[in-house]
Each structure stands twice: as structure tokens, then as C-alpha cells.
């Protein structure tokens, strides 16, 4: 059965991609109004069978339907129906695959199987990214505009996209993020989500909030600038929201303050170390300017993230700076201790003055 489904999925992808523009409204309406239901049933069947190649093909087909058909939906209700169908597949798939990455990364399974499962997760990440991007665009016909006959409001639509992102978080483990292509896709999605819905982060359950921070840890420390740059941009978006909402009236302020303190305590020290000390408090002293091993995108994104972190949690910022100076002084050895620590203090003072 699996080979037939793979062939059918590729045939459907070819049909969708090659569909003339004048015919896409009718095809979009048919997808939203039940024609795609068998695809959802197939996705459910092969999720349960644990076939990552078929699952990946069906996820890619769903993503192509969103990309190629949603902009041509004849009515807002048709577009919303198509989006709900795609979101239901993404959420159900993510929920059914919890923990598979950690298992696939174990020594008990063949490397080829681990690669298949990575591709499956990457297809899921890309599907949610397409939906998140479309939901974030104000003039999107899929999610942001709904007809009176549709029961899903704009707020409901964005909550649906964010819930799909939440379902992804337990899957995006440090082991999964060791795959460069998957990491790059995930941090691109993370940037869209944290820029569009930062206010939802403080409301995440504790285990999902921890998973999010762990993924930010991995990206901020990555040597791959294609992952580190977008990750630090996402961190900056979250930090800016925390800084700008920490002093507002109402319950939002408490969440923003707690988030700002948590981010500053966790990321200020590592970011300063990476940008000013080439990622280490050891070595041969401060680099001239920022680290030459960090790409310009990651450097700029890291600096941009530090500014709102300093504003959102001044005490955590100062504690991290003092701890970094003390660590540098302790690791410098006699003779270089004073000079190296003073150079770091001067660099931090210059950074603060620029902020």
C-alpha cells in the first residue's frame, strides 16, 4: 500500500502545482469542502503505521495545497476551510509522533531510518511554517479574513496555528536540531511565531516553555550561521516584547517581567561570551571587536537581542556582566588578569553606552 500512496501523493502534488491559475479557485473550494478528506484519512493511517516516508509525502502535499491553492480560494470561508484541514493534519501528526526523534536518534536504529524521520519532521515544520506565515499576513484570504458563515474568528485562527506550533515543541529536541536542514527550517518558523505571537509564550505550559528555551539554547550556541542568525532574531523579538510590556498595566506586565528575567538570566552571559570572547572565557584574550567566527547576521542579531534583554531585566543583565568579568579574571592567570578583565569591562561599558 505504501508505494501506491507515495505515487498518489506525488501525482496530487503535480496536479496542484501544475493547475492553471483559472482552475485553482475551484480546486481550492473542493479541497476545503471535503474533497481532501481521504488525504486526511491516509495521513492518519500511515501515522499509526509509523511510515515516515509516506507521512513526509502527505505533509508535503498538504503544504503545497496551502501554498498553491489558498491564495485562490473563491471565498474567505473556502480559504478558512482549507486552512482548518491543513492545521488538523499538522496538529494530529505532531501529537502522534511525540518522542520519535529521540528514539530515531538512538544507536538501536539504522542511520537511514533516523534520516527518514528527520525528513518527516522537517516536512511537518515546513507545513506549520507555511500556515504561520500565511496567518501573519494581514491580507491573507486563508486565516485573517473570515466570512460571516464561518465559525472561526481571526483570533481562533491564530490560536489554531499557535497550537500546531505547540504540538511541535516536544519533537524539536537537541538531537533533532543536530540536523542542519531541520534546524534551519525550525528557526525560520520560530522567528515568524515569536514575532507574531510573543504574548502567548508566557502562557505556555511549563514543559513546553522549557522545550522552547532549550531550542533557543541550541540555536544561540550553533556554529551554523543559518540557524544561529534566525534563532537570535527570534530571541530578540521575544525580548523586545518583554521589555515593552514589562511596565504596562494589567496581567500582561507580570508575564512580561517574568519572561524578561528568565531570558536575561539564561542568555545574556552566553551571548556576551560568544560575541565578545569568541564563545569562551578562556583563550588568548578578547577578540578585536566582535568574534570573527560569528557571521555578520548572527552578530547583529545577537547584539539586537542583548539591548532589550538589558532593558527588560537590568538586574539580571548586571549580574550576568559581573559573572562574566569574574570568570574572565579567574581564567586569565597572573599577569593578564587585570588587563583582560579591564578590556572586558570597557567593552561592556561601550555596549551599554551604545544601548
Amino acid at each position: 500500500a505504501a508505494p501506491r500512496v507515495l505515487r498518489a501523493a506525488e501525482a496530487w502534488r503535480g496536479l496542484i502545482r501544475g493547475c492553471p491559475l483559472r482552475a485553482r479557485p475551484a480546486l481550492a473550494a473542493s479541497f476545503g469542502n471535503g474533497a481532501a478528506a481521504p488525504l486526511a484519512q491516509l495521513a492518519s493511517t500511515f501515522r499509526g503505521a509509523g511510515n515516515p516516508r509516506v507521512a513526509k509525502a502527505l505533509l508535503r502535499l498538504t503544504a503545497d495545497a496551502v501554498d498553491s491553492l489558498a491564495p485562490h480560494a473563491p471565498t474567505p470561508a473556502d480559504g478558512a476551510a482549507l486552512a482548518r484541514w491543513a492545521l488538523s493534519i499538522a496538529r494530529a501528526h505532531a501529537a502522534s509522533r511525540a518522542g520519535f526523534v529521540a528514539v530515531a536518534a538512538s544507536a538501536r536504529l539504522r542511520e537511514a531510518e533516523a534520516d527518514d524521520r528527520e525528513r518527516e519532521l522537517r516536512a511537518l515544520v515546513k507545513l506549520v511554517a507555511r500556515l504561520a506565515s500565511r496567518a501573519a499576513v494581514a491580507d491573507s484570504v486563508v486565516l485573517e479574513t473570515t466570512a460571516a458563515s464561518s465559525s472561526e474568528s481571526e483570533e481562533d485562527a491564530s490560536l489554531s496555528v499557535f497550537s500546531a506550533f505547540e504540538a511541535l515543541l516536544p519533537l524539536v529536541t537537541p538531537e533533532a536540531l543536530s540536523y542542519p536542514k531541520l534546524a534551519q527550517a525550525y528557526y525560520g518558523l520560530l522567528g515568524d511565531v515569536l514575532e507574531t505571537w510573543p504574548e502567548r509564550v508566557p502562557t505556555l505550559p511549563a514543559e513546553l516553555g522549557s522545550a522552547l528555551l532549550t531550542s533557543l539554547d541550541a540555536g544561540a550556541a550553533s556554529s551554523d550561521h543559518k540557524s544561529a542568525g534566525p534563532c537570535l532574531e527570534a530571541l530578540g523579538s521575544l525580548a523586545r516584547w518583554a521589555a515593552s510590556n514589562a511596565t504596562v498595566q494589567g496581567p500582561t506586565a507580570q508575564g512580561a517581567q517574568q519572561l524578561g528575567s528568565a531570558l536575561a538570566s539564561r542568555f545574556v552571559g552566553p551571548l556576551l561570551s560568544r560575541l565578545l570572547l569568541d564563545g569562551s572565557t578562556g583563550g588568548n584574550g578578547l577578540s578585536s571587536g566582535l568574534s570573527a567566527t560569528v557571521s555578520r547576521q548572527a552578530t547583529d542579531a545577537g547584539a539586537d537581542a542583548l539591548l532589550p534583554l538589558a532593558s527588560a531585566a537590568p538586574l539580571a543583565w548586571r549580574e550576568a556582566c559581573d559573572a562574566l568579568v569574574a570568570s574572565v579574571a579567574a581564567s586569565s592567570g597572573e599577569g593578564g588578569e587585570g588587563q583582560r578583565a579591564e578590556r572586558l569591562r570597557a567593552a561592556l561599558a561601550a555596549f551599554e553606552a551604545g544601548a
Side-chain angles (χ1 to χ4, degrees):
R4 291 198 298 273
V5 175
L6 283 170
R7 289 193 295 269
E10 289 304 312
W12 270 98
R13 289 185 73 202
L15 171 66
I16 291 170
R17 289 182 168 188
C19 182
L21 291 178
R22 64 180 180 276
R24 291 190 182 189
L27 188 57
S30 67
F31 259 69
N33 293 318
L39 293 176
Q41 294 169 0
L42 281 175
S44 176
T45 298
F46 281 92
R47 281 196 309 272
N51 191 316
R53 292 188 179 183
V54 174
K56 181 192 73 171
L58 293 172
L59 289 168
R60 292 174 67 185
L61 169 58
T62 305
D64 281 344
V66 172
D67 276 352
S68 299
L69 301 181
H72 302 281
T75 69
D78 289 326
L82 176 58
R84 286 194 296 274
W85 166 75
L87 281 166
S88 69
I89 289 180
R91 287 197 300 268
H93 188 90
S96 72
R97 305 304 283 167
F100 83 85
V101 170
V103 173
S106 72
R108 293 191 300 271
L109 295 179
R110 299 187 308 272
E111 182 178 349
E113 184 176 351
D115 290 344
D116 283 343
R117 292 181 182 276
E118 180 273 334
R119 295 187 188 101
E120 178 189 357
L121 179 54
R122 180 156 34 106
L124 180 59
V125 169
K126 289 183 175 181
L127 171 58
V128 178
R130 282 172 167 84
L131 290 163
S133 178
R134 193 162 296 281
V137 176
D139 61 352
S140 170
V141 298
V142 180
L143 295 174
E144 296 297 329
T145 305
T146 55
S149 60
S150 174
S151 62
E152 183 174 38
S153 66
E154 180 177 325
E155 178 68 11
D156 291 335
S158 64
L159 278 170
S160 294
V161 175
F162 194 80
S163 71
F165 171 73
E166 287 180 302
L168 274 177
L169 285 174
L171 306 180
V172 188
T173 62
E175 292 86 358
L177 294 173
S178 67
Y179 289 86
K181 290 183 179 179
L182 173 57
Q184 292 163 19
Y186 170 71
Y187 290 118
L189 165 63
L190 188 64
D192 286 342
V193 168
L194 296 188
E195 183 178 4
T196 308
W197 302 292
E199 73 282 356
R200 299 220 164 97
V201 172
T203 68
L204 284 172
E207 65 276 13
L208 295 183
S210 177
L212 174 60
L213 292 176
T214 298
S215 72
L216 285 170
D217 283 335
S222 175
S223 60
D224 179 5
H225 69 90
K226 292 182 180 179
S227 293
C231 174
L232 293 173
E233 289 174 358
L235 175 60
S237 295
L238 196 55
R240 281 189 291 276
W241 177 85
S244 62
N245 287 275
T247 58
V248 300
Q249 297 295 322
T252 299
Q254 183 178 2
Q257 292 165 5
Q258 293 174 346
L259 178 61
S261 296
L263 292 176
S265 300
R266 191 167 185 134
F267 292 105
V268 166
L271 282 178
L272 286 173
S273 179
R274 178 171 187 172
L275 295 176
L276 296 176
L277 302 175
D278 198 15
S280 171
T281 56
N284 297 319
L286 289 170
S287 58
S288 56
L290 296 176
S291 169
T293 65
V294 184
S295 74
R296 173 53 56 186
Q297 180 192 16
T299 296
D300 291 344
D304 287 345
L306 282 170
L307 297 177
L309 287 174
S311 175
L315 179 58
W317 163 267
R318 177 46 50 198
E319 290 174 347
C321 290
D322 291 344
L324 187 60
V325 171
S327 180
V328 167
S331 65
S332 296
E334 293 189 20
E337 175 179 331
Q339 182 182 9
R340 194 158 187 263
E342 284 304 317
R343 290 176 63 192
L344 177 56
R345 288 191 185 95
L348 290 172
F351 185 88
E352 290 175 340

